[in-house]
Amino acid sequence: MALSVVDLYVKILPRTNCKDCGFPTCIAFAGMVVSEKLPLKNCPHIDPALLAPAQEELNEQYALGKWLKKDMAGESLSLAKEKTASMALEDIAQRIGASPGTPDGPLKKIDHIVLPYFNQTVLISKNRVTDSNGGDLTRNEQTVIYIHMAYGGTTSPTGNMKSFKEFPNTVSKIVSMRDQVETPLKKAFSSRKDALEIACKKTGGTNVKDRYESLDLAFQFRVFPKIFITLLFWDESEGFEADVKLLFDETVLDHLDIEATLFLSEHLGRLLINSVA
Ligand code: SF4
């Protein structure tokens, strides 16, 4: 019998979200154990009688390749880098709303572009993406950015925001959006509305609650000049659990594919959780 993320969460983990494993929730840890082979013993609170048999079951499913995460980010990054290699940086900059950058010195040939990204800017060359201090971005961030550069269209955001499931071909990713983005956010900020508000402001979000009056919080993030995400939050009350939903400008798939939209959403979730950890 194999152990899915839900099996692990329900049958093996203590479900206390104590964070001692380094993850904000037990479900986030379970996801990493099942898909990334993280050792189960990294949770120090599992009943010793359950630990060894569960790890044995996991080892068997790893050997079969069951539920292991394919290296989607790596494959997408290589393809997008290959495609952008043949494009002029000036054209990419114009298309995605970035500024062309030139090196110091007499030769003023454009060798990078400068792209606003949340509340910072990133510098992008054909082979590298760095923050304004020269630090490398994570691989998932680079993947999103190169896909945006390679496939981003010319349309501008309309301001009409839609939920993930309203976009075509998202069925296979809805569970990932729930388990990897919405559930960790919900668990991290349930009864912590003020902390979420601080996190949203630190991450460059704009308060748009006036557009969503029945909610406890609504913040919009201008991730890139042409990509907007809105976070909606209902705090727990009177027996109802907290809830989180992300909305995307209806043009988002003109600029990113579904996988990159999911990577970006995961990144936003991590930024928010880590900014007040
Ligand atoms: S260590 Fe991690 S997996 Fe274990 S109970 Fe705490 S949060 Fe859950």
Side-chain angles (χ1 to χ4, degrees):
M1 193 193 78
L3 281 173
S4 68
V5 174
V6 174
D7 290 335
L8 200 55
Y9 176 69
V10 172
K11 297 179 186 166
I12 311 291
L13 297 180
R15 288 181 278 156
T16 56
N17 299 330
C18 70
K19 304 188 178 74
D20 288 349
C21 56
F23 290 87
T25 59
C26 296
I27 194 86
F29 175 72
M32 293 301 285
V33 171
V34 170
S35 66
E36 306 271 5
K37 301 190 190 176
L38 206 69
L40 197 51
K41 66 176 189 285
N42 285 13
C43 167
H45 308 295
I46 296 175
D47 179 345
L50 297 177
L51 181 63
Q55 187 64 62
E56 207 171 303
E57 281 188 25
L58 287 163
N59 292 344
E60 282 171 20
Q61 72 195 47
Y62 295 154
L64 297 170
K66 194 172 175 68
W67 291 316
L68 283 177
K69 194 169 183 178
K70 204 167 156 236
D71 188 9
M72 301 292 287
E75 287 176 20
S76 304
L77 179 57
S78 309
L79 280 175
K81 269 189 169 175
E82 217 173 279
K83 190 162 163 61
T84 51
S86 60
M87 298 173 169
L89 285 172
E90 297 92 318
D91 296 342
I92 296 174
Q94 192 176 27
R95 189 160 39 80
I96 67 174
S99 314
T102 50
D104 295 333
L107 292 173
K108 293 291 183 188
K109 190 173 180 315
I110 290 168
D111 69 344
H112 67 280
I113 60 178
V114 182
L115 180 68
Y117 175 51
F118 286 106
N119 51 0
Q120 57 170 320
T121 53
V122 290
L123 311 183
I124 307 166
S125 69
K126 293 232 165 160
N127 291 312
R128 201 167 167 219
V129 182
T130 61
D131 62 25
S132 49
N133 298 319
D136 285 311
L137 269 67
T138 67
R139 193 177 63 161
N140 272 6
E141 289 177 291
Q142 293 191 40
T143 302
V144 170
I145 289 171
Y146 277 104
I147 287 175
H148 187 34
M149 289 165 62
Y151 306 106
T154 53
T155 54
S156 295
T158 63
N160 186 17
M161 308 301 287
K162 293 166 67 171
S163 66
F164 191 61
K165 67 179 183 195
E166 289 179 83
F167 291 94
N169 306 318
T170 49
V171 175
S172 63
K173 302 291 176 199
I174 285 173
V175 172
S176 303
M177 179 63 82
R178 186 193 64 207
D179 291 352
Q180 290 162 32
V181 183
E182 293 167 351
T183 300
L185 279 167
K186 187 162 86 174
K187 289 179 182 291
F189 292 108
S190 180
S191 298
R192 297 181 68 220
K193 185 180 87 146
D194 292 349
L196 180 56
E197 184 162 358
I198 290 168
C200 289
K201 285 179 179 165
K202 274 190 188 171
T203 311
T206 303
N207 192 337
V208 291
K209 188 178 172 320
D210 55 338
R211 295 183 210 165
Y212 304 92
E213 281 179 3
S214 62
L215 304 187
D216 290 303
L217 277 183
F219 271 82
Q220 187 163 82
F221 300 87
R222 181 185 190 247
V223 182
F224 301 119
K226 294 198 167 180
I227 297 183
F228 286 74
I229 300 179
T230 298
L231 176 143
L232 308 180
F233 178 72
W234 298 256
D235 207 350
E236 72 170 346
S237 82
E238 297 170 6
F240 289 97
E241 282 187 0
D243 205 1
V244 170
K245 284 278 167 264
L246 294 189
L247 304 180
F248 304 85
D249 190 275
E250 65 178 347
T251 61
V252 70
L253 295 187
D254 295 344
H255 305 291
L256 289 179
D257 60 17
I258 293 287
E259 195 73 41
T261 305
L262 186 59
F263 290 154
L264 191 56
S265 306
E266 286 174 23
H267 182 65
L268 172 60
R270 274 194 297 273
L271 277 179
L272 293 171
I273 291 169
N274 293 341
S275 73
V276 289

